[in-house]
Amino acid sequence: MVKQLDYEKQAKAFMALADPTRLKIVELLAGCEEMSGTDIAEHLGITLALFCHHSKILTDTDIIKKRREGLIRYHSLNRAFLATCLEGVAQLT
């Protein structure tokens, strides 16, 4: 059985995913354990400032997690949360 999420939290997550750059970030993180913000920005061909903007939205909606090691911030996909959101939608079909 899928854990029930707050509908508002789930709606915010789907709104966050409605941007092509944020979808690319999620896809990139799905293929690895974690990456630094600089590496993600470089891989996507965007500025670090633009990545930080998208990262804040994804972090605020719990889609990605951040951890800091010295001056470097590492980002990883919150797979459990994302899976719960998607499973809830899959049950509708």
Side-chain angles (χ1 to χ4, degrees):
M1 173 122 189
V2 177
K3 281 193 299 186
Q4 292 297 318
L5 285 178
D6 178 321
Y7 286 118
E8 186 173 325
K9 186 174 181 177
Q10 193 172 14
K12 287 180 182 179
F14 285 120
M15 285 190 297
L17 292 171
D19 179 89
T21 301
R22 291 192 285 270
L23 280 175
K24 289 176 188 176
I25 292 168
V26 168
E27 181 179 40
L28 183 61
L29 289 173
C32 64
E33 187 68 28
E34 66 180 8
M35 289 180 78
S36 72
T38 302
D39 288 341
I40 294 169
E42 186 176 294
H43 186 81
L44 297 178
I46 60 175
T47 64
L48 185 56
L50 182 57
F51 168 73
C52 289
H53 164 75
H54 289 298
S55 169
K56 179 171 177 16
I57 293 167
L58 291 170
T59 302
D60 288 350
T61 55
D62 289 333
I63 294 170
I64 64 172
K65 300 181 280 186
K66 282 194 282 192
R67 76 172 179 86
R68 189 175 189 164
E69 188 173 304
L71 297 175
I72 302 171
R73 289 193 177 135
Y74 291 94
H75 301 78
S76 61
L77 193 60
N78 185 347
R79 295 172 194 278
F81 173 72
L82 195 55
T84 302
C85 286
L86 296 175
E87 287 172 10
V89 171
Q91 287 183 348
L92 299 173
T93 59

